[in-house]
Amino acid sequence: MSAKMLSLNQMKQFALQREAFIYYIFFFVLFFFAVILHDTAFLTLSNFMNIVKQTAPLTIMAVGLTFALAVGHIDLSIGSVVALSALVGALLLQHTGIPLAVLGALLVGVTVGLINGLLIERLQVSSLLITLGTMGIITGIARQLTNLESVPVINQDFTYFFGSGKVLGMPILLLWTLIIGGCAYIILKKLAAGRHLLAVGGNPAAARAMGIKVTKIRVYALIASSTAAALAGLLYAGRLHGARYTLGEADLLTVIAAVAIGGTSLFGGRACIVGAILGTWLMGIINNGLILSGFSTNEQMITRGVILVVAVAIGVKEVRNNG
């Protein structure tokens, strides 16, 4: 009897957790579209695989943004990092091999994240303002780099590893999602670094009293966010067989909504990697369902905006309740 009661208590605790919200809404939305789109290809495996592949760069961005939000920072520059890293990788690929092209693209992310982190911490300015400024700078650089021209990617090995490939029948883009998501989950849930991230985001003063190097942790979190965006740029270039300055420019709203709805606090101290991944897939399912239902791009943007507003409202309410 005690074991049964313990199990019931565990189920109740899980149901009350903020992170459980994403599971409920995910299956509700899935069921909703399954009913209204029963006569379409919505419920086919190929459609779901297409959703996973299309949202893979967004998922990687969401995982990276989770680290920044965990320490109480917001990174608005990730969309521009996607474009610049994709262009740098594509340009380098025309003159060098895959390793140097990938390294160059990822260095874009590391550099931007380091600059963001140092500016925020040294100047003690809001991350919203700093990353808004760097977003504009990086966007300008991406536009100037190729004079608004696209850069084709014809290297088949690159497009295989970062786009169209399969491993044991599994799409390579899904594999990237699982690898990056798995590594991030281990860091946040199993390692001391993850506990430090959440401690810094939850109560910086208490974290300092515990001997945690708050500034260093915050800078590392922003580097992780930008580097993930750089990897997303490579995935875009591999899947689309080319790079363009517009890559990632419309992704910021979707990524923030996915992370927020997935259980990560927009104010620091709580992060959920699984929720971020499911939140991105949820946004993909909603977009896919709206397209199959005949909704326009504008209506899809409105829907994403509504989801973000709801997620932020839930987060603000929690902060007030906990305060």
Side-chain angles (χ1 to χ4, degrees):
M1 179 177 178
S2 60
K4 186 175 181 180
M5 289 296 295
L6 179 62
S7 177
L8 289 173
N9 288 334
Q10 289 175 339
M11 291 177 64
K12 289 179 180 178
Q13 290 175 1
F14 177 78
L16 292 173
Q17 289 177 354
R18 168 68 177 87
E19 290 84 353
F21 179 70
I22 183 60
Y23 298 98
Y24 300 144
I25 191 171
F26 184 88
F27 287 109
F28 171 78
V29 170
L30 189 63
F31 175 77
F32 174 77
F33 280 118
V35 171
I36 67 173
L37 298 174
H38 64 277
D39 56 346
T40 68
F42 177 77
L43 278 178
T44 61
L45 179 61
S46 61
N47 186 50
F48 288 136
M49 284 297 101
N50 283 333
I51 292 174
V52 169
K53 289 187 287 187
Q54 289 170 1
T55 58
L58 297 173
T59 307
I60 301 301
M61 293 169 67
V63 169
L65 183 61
T66 299
F67 281 84
L69 290 173
V71 299
H73 284 327
I74 181 73
D75 187 355
L76 301 182
S77 66
I78 53 177
S80 56
V81 170
V82 168
L84 183 57
S85 62
L87 287 169
V88 168
L91 289 171
L92 288 174
L93 202 59
Q94 294 178 348
H95 306 286
T96 65
I98 294 177
L100 286 179
V102 171
L103 179 61
L106 294 180
L107 279 176
V108 171
V110 173
T111 302
V112 173
L114 180 61
I115 292 173
N116 282 338
L118 291 178
L119 287 175
I120 292 168
E121 295 303 317
R122 299 300 182 189
L123 300 178
Q124 291 296 298
V125 179
S126 167
S127 58
L128 180 75
L129 297 177
I130 292 294
T131 57
L132 183 63
T134 55
M135 177 183 70
I137 295 171
I138 299 164
T139 299
I141 294 174
R143 288 169 174 263
Q144 185 70 25
L145 189 62
T146 59
N147 293 320
L148 306 184
E149 294 183 0
S150 299
V151 181
V153 174
I154 59 175
N155 188 305
Q156 294 184 355
D157 290 333
F158 181 88
T159 56
Y160 178 89
F161 286 112
F162 292 95
S164 59
K166 288 187 178 182
V167 177
L168 300 177
M170 179 186 297
I172 198 80
L173 291 173
L174 175 58
L175 190 60
W176 274 111
T177 298
L178 296 178
I179 291 173
I180 299 301
C183 291
Y185 179 86
I186 291 172
I187 291 172
L188 282 175
K189 294 294 185 180
K190 304 298 181 181
L191 301 183
R195 294 191 292 272
H196 292 172
L197 282 166
L198 298 177
V200 168
N203 192 327
R208 286 192 180 92
M210 294 168 57
I212 297 174
K213 298 179 179 179
V214 173
T215 297
K216 183 179 291 187
I217 292 293
R218 285 173 173 167
V219 172
Y220 284 160
L222 285 163
I223 291 175
S225 177
S226 286
T227 304
L231 176 57
L234 291 173
L235 297 183
Y236 266 128
R239 184 168 68 86
L240 300 176
H241 294 257
R244 185 171 172 79
Y245 70 92
T246 55
L247 290 179
E249 68 178 9
D251 292 342
L252 183 62
L253 180 62
T254 301
V255 172
I256 294 177
V259 174
I261 210 75
T264 295
S265 173
L266 297 178
F267 308 98
R270 187 181 65 237
C272 182
I273 295 297
V274 175
I277 295 174
L278 287 179
T280 311
W281 288 349
L282 173 65
M283 299 301 289
I285 289 172
I286 291 173
N287 282 342
N288 183 262
L290 292 175
I291 291 171
L292 292 177
S293 300
F295 284 81
S296 67
T297 302
N298 295 335
E299 290 165 332
Q300 295 170 43
M301 292 180 65
I302 293 172
T303 302
R304 289 195 294 268
V306 170
I307 292 174
L308 179 57
V309 170
V310 170
V312 171
I314 293 173
V316 170
K317 184 178 180 180
E318 284 187 347
V319 169
R320 290 174 176 172
N321 291 340
N322 293 335

